[in-house]
Amino acid sequence: SQTQVRLDSFFKAL
Amino acid sequence: MFEARLSSTLTLKKIVDALRDILNQSTLDCSDTGIQLQAMDNSHVSLVCLCLRSDYFEKYKCSRNVSLGLDLKSLTKVLKCANGDDAVTIKAADKADKIELSFESAGKERTADYELRLLNLDQEHLAIPETEYSCVIHMPASEFARICRDLAVFSESVVIACSKNCIKFSANGEMGSANIKLSQTSKAEVTLQVDEPVTLSFAGRYLNTFTRATPLSEKVKIGMAADVPLLVEYPIEDYGYIRYYLAPKVDD
């Protein structure tokens, strides 16, 4: 099965 | 003071349509170079960026930077009051708590003014790193929309596999499976620039949401690289774009 990754782990908050 | 005029309300309707399935509310950042919007969906899986340069507008004036917090449902309701071929002028004073939208009919015999209350949104901005995509695909936006729609019937997940020769979209579910392959065409409707083959899995419902931008653009650009979010970009003529980013699904 697969897990949906969140974008926060790729793009950092400014 | 911010003031921007578009000769056709239809364009603005299309832009809002491309945003409102992902976002309920968002902040439009206006500066003298143009307008920008960046926001994630509630689940933080996808992100949309809108960029429109000031020269896209028939008239554009922004004496100081303003951030306009908009409720997209309310904005849609106001835009429904206008005809597509009406010209639209958006105005906001500095530190305003509302914007004014004025619609002028093509023959200038009818004008209609609406005020829309602004929201004070606490919105975080994300730094999107410059990415060298190992696969860059250009294809007709309508073809991408059709593929996303057709695959959604089969499965929640869509696998996109891009190699030198073709891009393959697959969905596999209880009902059965679907595989759609596109090769580069001689007429350059589909182009593939591939440094490294990439295969990634994505939630189909987000891809379908992105295709709401199809009426804005003939072409769509897709960028893929291993272990980074998918890029789906719809150019808005030569003046800007709507970019969507989608985090991949990973194997447990």
Side-chain angles (χ1 to χ4, degrees), chain B residues 195-227:
Chain B
D195 296 329
E196 288 280 330
V198 179
T199 298
L200 289 169
S201 188
F202 299 100
R205 70 186 178 91
Y206 288 96
L207 296 175
N208 264 306
T209 309
F210 302 165
T211 64
R212 292 281 186 186
T214 307
L216 278 170
S217 182
E218 293 266 305
K219 286 237 163 199
V220 63
K221 172 184 159 183
I222 297 169
M224 283 174 53
D227 303 321

Side-chain angles (χ1 to χ4, degrees), chain A:
Chain A
S1 69
Q2 291 185 312
T3 306
Q4 176 64 63
V5 184
R6 285 162 61 109
L7 271 181
D8 314 58
S9 51
F10 301 99
F11 302 156
K12 300 292 167 225
L14 287 173

Side-chain angles (χ1 to χ4, degrees), chain B residues 35-71:
Chain B
I35 63 171
Q36 290 200 308
L37 173 153
Q38 188 212 76
M40 280 195 283
D41 71 291
N42 282 337
S43 56
H44 287 209
V45 170
S46 67
L47 180 141
V48 58
C49 290
L50 165 72
C51 176
L52 278 177
R53 287 205 322 265
S54 56
D55 54 356
Y56 181 62
F57 297 88
E58 200 175 82
K59 181 179 175 188
Y60 190 92
K61 200 164 72 184
C62 187
S63 49
R64 59 190 285 185
N65 293 0
V66 285
S67 293
L68 308 173
L70 295 168
D71 181 276

Side-chain angles (χ1 to χ4, degrees), chain B residues 135 189 250:
Chain B
C135 301
E189 287 147 337
V250 295

Side-chain angles (χ1 to χ4, degrees), chain B residues 132-181:
Chain B
E132 288 284 331
Y133 291 100
S134 29
C135 301
V136 176
I137 303 104
H138 290 89
M139 71 167 80
S142 56
E143 177 67 80
F144 181 62
R146 181 183 170 192
I147 291 169
C148 293
R149 190 197 61 206
D150 292 350
L151 292 187
V153 175
F154 287 85
S155 163
E156 279 180 18
S157 295
V158 171
V159 177
I160 308 179
C162 189
S163 63
K164 294 252 183 231
N165 300 323
C166 76
I167 179 166
K168 186 169 85 169
F169 300 85
S170 309
N172 201 336
E174 283 177 18
M175 185 175 107
S177 66
N179 290 288
I180 301 166
K181 280 186 202 168

